[in-house]
């Protein structure tokens, strides 16, 4: 008899146990995944046996190796490959010893099974109760160097997730240096794979890129000090036949905000190794006797239901077991951000007028972006003021707190439900506390607080320098500065920005120390102000990563508000991140970077697909017809938002691959759904495609807005066909289960 599980895969184990370990072999089991390895009796090495669908013993396939060739280890699927002893593939760990060599020999010593999951000291990490997660800790020892390694594996059965981190401990009497430490390493058996990654640049983040895994190393990463726009800290391996809905997919997501490296290496014998961890070129971590270094953790997920199945597993895990904010499953207020509407060109009267217009449109949160601060060095452009977190007295002669009091006294006058309780406009604020301008009181007082490397000049980008958050005094300054602001006025939302990468780091290890300092700042402030909705930003999606999401429930997805580009960016971001975590706004047209003019409804529907809907414009600049539409579109966004925040996303048709991108969001209880349909360009005298829905209950009946009542089976197998009119047309259809 088999046990039926949610994703349709049958488990051969009726007596389900998340971890089975006897000191010789180890099995980690999810509802639709098995991860198995064993101790080699001769070498003490850990050998991988299986990472894929559920199995009840080690597969026969693992016993059919042809043996080594020129290499001692090339034919072995190693769980924790060390360096310098005959495995010529990329290692998971490289330690430089006092006499200069980098040889290690780690052997299994012991293991422990824990109910639940311990925190990682100083690092963001997944969490869960004992009925959600079980943890296996493997102790390995290098007897020659007196270095211990703890491999921590946590299994979240309901999400098919295996989470791993590594702790290296120096129990010897001499200093060593950790040159490389991967968070996750797995060797997959000989087969054909393709690699899926999310790459891009500023204003074109998270572009889906899929390529064949061939012999040798195919890798990417970030050396910017942060996770970056260039490559997201995520990689997936899929079979060539895998699609959104069908086939095998393995995903690896690093819970880290710093520089990282992802390596996918196909060995001469055909095995494929996947490693993900901190960038070794920015590590060189000195480890004194008695000290330890813990890697960030990596979340790995296996899906037998395609890339979409993998995505929804990541989404559910991140919402339930990573993001700690009280707002994680709460609908977000529709907001208006002042930046693209005003830039630096404003005063107190301008801001108050914009806030009044926001309230009249039905916006619930008004956000004052860059330019509000700086005393002696006022922030009237991007050349000055960063670091001086006090309101500009010239712009706010009565103080910013006085203006905020007036803004938060404004009543939101356009309510979708006329019977709804009246509410006042909320206020949000932009900050960029990790940066400093030379033209600032802070820099004049503490030039030693910026990142610097000996006598090399510190390079400015966007006329700013990076404060060295590896220094405790810098961390304390930021905590005190931001706390002082938030304690003096009713701020409901903070947008935390970061607009450049790191240059001239004093040591490679300072890069990781900076990130640890940043996490201390985030942790302190979010604990101190739990009722504030925090949003991460780094010139858009430059730090859209799980490390930030642990503290902040949402991030600004991209500075690009062109709706056509945003479709590609948001669909790409959703490969690993839940829609609830995406900030998505309506921008003005023509969009300054592309020159495109896209209708307001299309822009609004794209923005509604993110968890934080908003406006990035000045209503005075809108045509009368567009301005008249906004209140109803804001009301519609508020209706959609709970489904987007708490529901499951199904990518039905991908932008870039289809002229008709489509996505379906199904509520957490399955009773409601909302379908987004888009036409990019008109194709004259041509039929429209049939979009087949997913994620519904086949036997249930659904009322489809504008169409009638149909069974889930009909909607999923027969689909929906929608008529469009003109370029950049869009439709949004509500679906209710009867």
């Amino acid at each position: 008899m088999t046990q039926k599980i949610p994703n349709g895969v049958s488990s051969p184990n009726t007596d389900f146990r998340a971890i089975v370990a006897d000191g010789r072999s180890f099995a980690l089991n999810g509802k639709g995944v098995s991860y198995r390895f064993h101790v080699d009796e001769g070498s003490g090495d850990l050998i991988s046996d299986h990472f894929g669908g559920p199995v009840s013993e080690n597969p026969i396939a693992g016993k059919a190796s042809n043996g080594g060739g020129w290499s001692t280890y090339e034919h072995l699927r190693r769980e924790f490959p060390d360096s310098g002893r005959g495995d010529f593939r990329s290692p998971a760990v490289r330690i430089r010893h006092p006499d200069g060599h980098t040889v290690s020999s780690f052997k299994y010593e012991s293991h422990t099974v824990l109910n639940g999951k311990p925190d990682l000291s100083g690092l963001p990490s997944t969490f869960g109760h004992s009925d959600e997660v079980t943890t296996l800790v493997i102790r390995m020892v290098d007897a020659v160097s007196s270095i211990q390694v703890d491999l921590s594996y946590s299994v979240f059965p309901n999400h098919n997730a295996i989470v791993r981190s590594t702790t290296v401990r120096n129990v010897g009497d001499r200093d060593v240096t950790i040159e490389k430490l991967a968070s996750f390493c797995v060797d997959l058996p000989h087969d054909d794979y393709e690699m899926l990654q999310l790459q891009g640049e500023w204003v074109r983040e998270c572009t889906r890129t899929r390529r064949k895994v061939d012999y040798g190393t195919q890798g990417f990463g970030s050396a910017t000090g942060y996770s970056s726009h260039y490559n997201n800290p995520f990689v997936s391996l899929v079979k060539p036949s895998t699609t959104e809905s069908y086939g095998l997919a393995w995903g690896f997501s690093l819970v880290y905000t710093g520089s990282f490296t992802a390596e996918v290496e196909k060995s001469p014998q055909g095995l494929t190794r996947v490693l993900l961890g901190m960038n070794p070129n920015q590590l060189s971590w000195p480890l004194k006797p008695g000290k330890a270094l813990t890697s960030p953790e990596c979340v790995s997920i296996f899906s037998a239901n395609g890339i979409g199945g993998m995505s929804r597993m990541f989404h559910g895990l991140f919402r339930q077991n990573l993001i700690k904010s009280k707002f994680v499953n709460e609908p977000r207020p529709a907001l208006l951000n002042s930046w693209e509407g005003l830039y630096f060109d404003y005063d107190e009267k301008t801001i108050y007028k914009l806030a009044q217009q926001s309230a009249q449109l039905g916006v619930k949160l008004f956000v004052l972006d860059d330019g509000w601060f700086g005393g002696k060095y006022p922030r009237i452009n991007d050349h000055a003021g960063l670091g001086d977190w006090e309101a500009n007295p010239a712009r706010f002669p009565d103080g910013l707190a006085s203006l905020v009091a007036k803004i938060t006294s404004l009543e939101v006058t356009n309510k979708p439900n006329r019977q709804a309780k009246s509410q006042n406009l909320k206020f949000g604020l932009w900050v960029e506390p990790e940066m400093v301008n030379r033209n600032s009181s802070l820099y004049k007082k503490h030039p030693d607080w910026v990142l610097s490397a000996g006598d090399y000049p510190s390079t400015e980008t966007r006329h700013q320098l990076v404060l060295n958050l590896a220094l405790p005094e810098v961390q304390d300054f930021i905590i005190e500065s931001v706390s002082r602001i938030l304690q003096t006025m009713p701020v409901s939302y903070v947008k935390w920005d970061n607009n450049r990468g790191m240059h001239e780091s004093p040591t490679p290890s300072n890069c990781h120390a900076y990130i640890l300092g940043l996490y201390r700042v985030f942790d302190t402030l979010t604990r101190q102000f739990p009722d504030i909705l925090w949003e991460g930003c780094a010139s858009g999606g430059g730090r859209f990563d799980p490390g930030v999401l642990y503290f902040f429930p949402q991030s600004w997805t991209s500075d690009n508000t062109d709706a056509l580009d945003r479709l590609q960016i948001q669909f790409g971001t959703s490969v690993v991140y839940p829609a609830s975590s995406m900030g998505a706004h309506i921008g003005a047209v023509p969009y300054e970077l592309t020159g495109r003019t896209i209708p307001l409804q299309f822009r609004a529907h794209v923005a509604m697909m993110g968890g934080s809907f908003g406006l990035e414009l000045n209503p005075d600049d809108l045509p009368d017809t567009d301005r008249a539409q906004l209140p109803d579109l804001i009301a519609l966004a508020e209706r959609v938002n709970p489904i987007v925040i708490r529901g499951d996303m199904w990518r039905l048709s991908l932008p870039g691959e289809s002229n008709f991108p489509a996505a379906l969001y199904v509520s957490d209880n399955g009773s409601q759904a909302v379908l987004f349909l888009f036409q990019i360009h008109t194709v004259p005298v041509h039929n429209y495609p049939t979009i087949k829905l997913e994620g519904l209950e086949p036997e249930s009946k659904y009322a489809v807005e504008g169409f009638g009542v149909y069974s889930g089976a009909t909607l999923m197998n027969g689909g929906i066909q929608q008529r469009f009119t003109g370029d950049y047309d869009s439709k949004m259809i509500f679906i209710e289960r009867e």
Side-chain angles (χ1 to χ4, degrees), residues 196-319:
L196 176 66
Q197 69 182 91
L198 302 175
Q199 63 83 29
E201 240 282 16
W202 173 68
V203 301
R204 53 176 175 82
E205 298 89 335
C206 286
T207 301
R208 287 173 62 139
T209 302
R210 184 167 167 172
R211 51 183 157 138
K212 178 183 178 181
V213 174
D214 216 330
Y215 290 96
T217 300
Q218 297 101 97
F220 59 88
S222 169
T224 69
Y226 309 114
S227 48
S228 87
H229 301 79
Y230 302 147
N231 294 290
N232 200 267
F234 162 81
V235 64
S236 174
L237 257 61
V238 299
K239 297 301 297 291
S241 58
T242 298
T243 67
E244 272 292 310
S245 304
Y246 304 99
L248 306 184
W250 294 260
F252 306 86
S253 177
L254 188 65
V255 185
Y256 192 55
T257 306
S259 294
F260 73 95
T261 296
E263 299 171 86
V264 178
E265 181 178 7
K266 187 170 183 176
S267 78
Q269 293 202 9
L271 303 180
T272 297
R273 176 170 291 177
V274 181
L275 299 105
L276 193 57
M278 295 178 284
N279 189 328
N281 294 326
Q282 296 180 352
L283 188 57
S284 294
W285 191 267
L287 200 63
K288 295 184 178 298
K291 298 297 183 180
L293 173 67
T294 297
S295 77
E297 69 179 26
C298 178
V299 177
S300 66
I301 281 178
F302 169 76
S303 168
N305 297 306
I307 297 167
M310 175 193 70
S311 296
R312 286 183 290 279
M313 287 292 180
F314 272 118
H315 298 172
L317 178 72
F318 284 177
R319 287 198 308 246

Side-chain angles (χ1 to χ4, degrees), residues 296-515:
E297 69 179 26
C298 178
V299 177
S300 66
I301 281 178
F302 169 76
S303 168
N305 297 306
I307 297 167
M310 175 193 70
S311 296
R312 286 183 290 279
M313 287 292 180
F314 272 118
H315 298 172
L317 178 72
F318 284 177
R319 287 198 308 246
Q320 297 171 34
N321 300 103
L322 175 73
I323 302 171
K324 67 175 185 175
S325 168
K326 62 181 283 187
F327 297 100
V328 59
N329 291 314
E330 294 299 316
R332 313 289 160 78
L335 65 84
L336 185 145
N337 183 291
S338 67
W339 178 243
E340 287 191 22
L342 301 176
Y343 294 107
F344 288 110
D345 186 18
Y346 65 80
D347 58 18
E348 181 175 313
K349 291 181 180 178
T350 313
I351 293 298
Y352 185 63
K353 177 186 176 185
L354 192 59
Q356 286 179 307
Q357 292 174 313
S358 301
Q360 291 163 3
L361 290 170
V363 166
K364 304 299 188 299
L365 169 65
F366 174 77
V367 180
L368 177 58
D369 209 278
D370 200 354
W372 60 268
F373 52 91
K376 184 178 179 181
Y377 301 91
R379 182 75 168 175
I380 56 175
N381 53 44
D382 61 7
H383 290 66
L386 281 173
D388 298 346
W389 298 106
E390 55 184 346
N392 179 348
R395 282 186 165 163
F396 307 104
D398 296 325
L400 181 59
S402 174
L403 175 62
V404 173
K406 291 172 59 179
I407 288 174
T408 54
S409 296
L410 292 169
E411 184 178 347
V412 177
T413 54
N414 186 75
K415 300 186 288 292
N417 180 358
R418 302 301 176 184
Q419 307 301 316
K421 182 180 178 181
S422 63
Q423 65 181 96
N424 289 352
L425 191 64
K426 295 180 179 180
F427 179 79
L429 198 61
W430 176 97
V431 294
E432 192 178 2
E434 298 164 66
M435 303 294 160
V436 65
N437 292 119
R438 293 186 194 271
N439 293 324
S440 68
S441 297
L442 177 64
Y443 182 80
K444 305 302 181 186
K445 184 177 180 181
H446 290 294
D448 55 315
W449 280 8
V450 303
L451 287 180
S452 60
D455 294 332
Y456 288 94
S458 297
T459 307
E460 289 188 17
T461 300
R462 203 175 179 249
H463 313 292
Q464 62 194 56
L465 299 168
V466 183
L467 292 172
N468 186 1
L469 269 75
L471 301 175
E473 56 268 33
V474 173
Q475 301 166 28
D476 292 340
F477 170 79
I478 293 174
I479 291 168
E480 291 165 5
S481 298
V482 176
S483 297
R484 184 170 59 250
I485 298 165
L486 301 182
Q487 288 165 348
T488 56
M489 60 190 78
V491 175
S492 300
Y493 159 103
V494 172
K495 180 179 179 180
W496 187 292
D497 208 346
N498 176 298
N499 280 300
R500 59 157 290 178
M502 296 186 199
H503 300 173
E504 293 89 36
S505 185
T507 63
S509 63
N510 195 85
C511 296
H512 181 55
Y514 179 109
I515 298 299

Side-chain angles (χ1 to χ4, degrees), residues 690-737:
T690 298
I691 302 295
K692 295 180 179 180
L693 307 192
E694 298 186 50
L696 305 180
E697 298 168 358
E699 300 83 7
S700 295
K701 292 289 188 178
Y702 293 88
V704 182
E705 184 181 35
F707 287 92
V709 177
Y710 297 85
S711 70
T714 299
L715 295 171
M716 291 190 289
N717 297 320
I720 285 179
Q721 194 176 44
Q722 176 65 54
R723 181 182 297 275
F724 294 95
T725 305
D727 293 350
Y728 306 122
D729 193 13
S730 60
K731 309 291 181 185
M732 196 172 70
I733 300 170
F734 283 93
I735 300 170
E736 298 272 350
R737 186 179 61 197

